[in-house]
């Protein structure tokens, strides 16, 4: 029987874990350990880094893993890059289970930027009320833009003060609804939203809300990851597992 490692931290990973558990597959689920109370998975779960690509390759060999599914967030580029190198090193098939990026539709006012620094640069000079919907990492990139009021949405309360003089924090875990996000943006009189192009439905609400309110969005494009097999649908990733992964292709 194949022994699968699922690199998690997304709703896709949780869907995959449920499917693998229902099928009775032998699999281990891996979390980085970033949130205080991660979603419980119906699979044996390990938490914490592997120690880079070499550490992951050693883990794969030691645990006799036969296939790896990278279901991390599209912005978890370090983990995804490590997975490509480690699987090549250990000669283990790898596929990514990754949602497609969002595309702007009519009525959207998106400005695309290549990275977090680009997003900070894209904010106007004059003071604005900015909804930073980018999680807890990388907030420091906006510290130099101290003229703005920031609304920050986080899964867990921050352990240290945020690097802003004028900030409000909302603690909430997705998925979110567009009408809730519209109400949130109205309440906080938001002028501009900063978002990562994560894709998927649960985090899309803020974009639908922005469109409804006619607000501009600074959209951070996805980081580059080395080429690998990628599936956007659960059925495709299970098909890969049952066919290509078994054959080692
Ligand atoms: P990252 O920068 O790509 O990874 C940094 C390091 O964290 C990796 O080198 C690895 O440490 C460890 N790591 C990351 N994902 C792991 C996993 N699933 N299992 C074990 N170790 C893992 O990742 P990140 O952006 O900090 O994201 C961390 C986690 O949060 C991921 O599970 C991701 O799916 C989730 N997440 C990220 C975002 C985001 O916007 N970045 C959003 C939502 C959820 P070692 O090198 O020691 O192995």
């Amino acid at each position: 029987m194949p022994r699968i490692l699922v690199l998690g931290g997304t709703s896709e990973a949780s869907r995959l874990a449920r499917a693998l558990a229902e099928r009775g597959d032998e699999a281990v689920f891996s979390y980085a350990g970033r949130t205080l109370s991660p979603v419980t998975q119906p699979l044996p779960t390990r938490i914490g880094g592997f120690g880079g690509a070499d550490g992951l390759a050693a883990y794969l060999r030691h645990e006799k893993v036969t296939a790896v599914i990278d279901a991390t967030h599209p912005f978890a580029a370090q983990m995804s890059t490590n997975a490509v190198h480690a699987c090549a090193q250990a000669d283990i098939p790898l596929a990514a289970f990754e949602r497609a990026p969002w595309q702007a539709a009519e009525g959207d006012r998106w400005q695309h930027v290549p990275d977090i620094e680009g997003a900070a640069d894209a904010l106007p000079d004059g003071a604005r009320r900015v909804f930073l919907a980018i999680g807890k990492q990388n907030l420091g990139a906006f510290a130099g833009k101290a003229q703005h009021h920031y609304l920050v949405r986080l899964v867990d309360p921050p352990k240290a003060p945020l690097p802003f003089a004028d900030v409000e924090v909302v603690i909430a875990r997705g998925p979110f609804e567009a009408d809730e996000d519209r109400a949130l943006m109205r309440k906080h009189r938001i002028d501009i939203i900063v978002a990562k192009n994560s894709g998927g439905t649960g985090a899309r609400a803020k974009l639908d809300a922005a469109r409804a309110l006619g607000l501009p969005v600074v959209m951070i494009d996805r980081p580059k990851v080395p080429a690998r097999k990628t599936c956007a649908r659960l059925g495709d990733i299970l098909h890969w597992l049952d066919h290509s992964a078994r054959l080692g292709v």
Side-chain angles (χ1 to χ4, degrees), residues 4 17 50 69 86 92 119 150 157:
I4 306 152
F50 298 95
I69 301 178
I92 291 170
Y150 291 101

Side-chain angles (χ1 to χ4, degrees), residues 176-184 204-210:
F176 301 105
E177 297 292 334
D179 53 350
E180 290 167 3
D181 274 5
R182 212 165 50 229
L184 180 78
R204 217 222 111 93
K206 56 183 173 280
L207 305 175
D208 294 335

Side-chain angles (χ1 to χ4, degrees), residues 5-11 13 29-35 46-56 69-83 99 116 133-138 155 196 198 223:
L5 173 67
V6 177
L7 300 170
T10 58
S11 52
F29 193 98
S30 177
Y31 273 125
R34 293 283 190 275
T35 53
R46 62 165 303 287
I47 299 182
F50 298 95
D54 291 346
L56 177 56
I69 301 178
D70 177 2
T72 58
H73 190 272
F75 279 73
Q78 186 61 59
M79 185 71 251
S80 294
T81 303
N82 291 352
R99 49 211 181 189
I116 299 279
I134 57 169
K136 69 177 169 188
Q137 298 179 55
N138 315 118
V155 174
K196 292 173 172 172
S198 306

Side-chain angles (χ1 to χ4, degrees), residues 179-239:
D179 53 350
E180 290 167 3
D181 274 5
R182 212 165 50 229
L184 180 78
M185 290 180 200
R186 276 216 182 98
K187 179 178 167 205
H188 291 270
R189 294 178 286 115
I190 293 302
D191 300 309
I192 186 163
I193 295 105
V194 179
K196 292 173 172 172
N197 197 336
S198 306
T201 51
R204 217 222 111 93
K206 56 183 173 280
L207 305 175
D208 294 335
R211 184 196 300 148
L213 296 171
L215 294 177
V217 175
V218 176
M219 181 61 76
I220 306 167
D221 290 334
R222 293 181 174 188
K224 299 250 180 306
V225 171
R228 70 241 158 111
K229 166 79 183 167
T230 299
C231 302
R233 290 192 310 211
L234 181 61
D236 292 342
I237 202 83
L238 294 175
H239 185 271

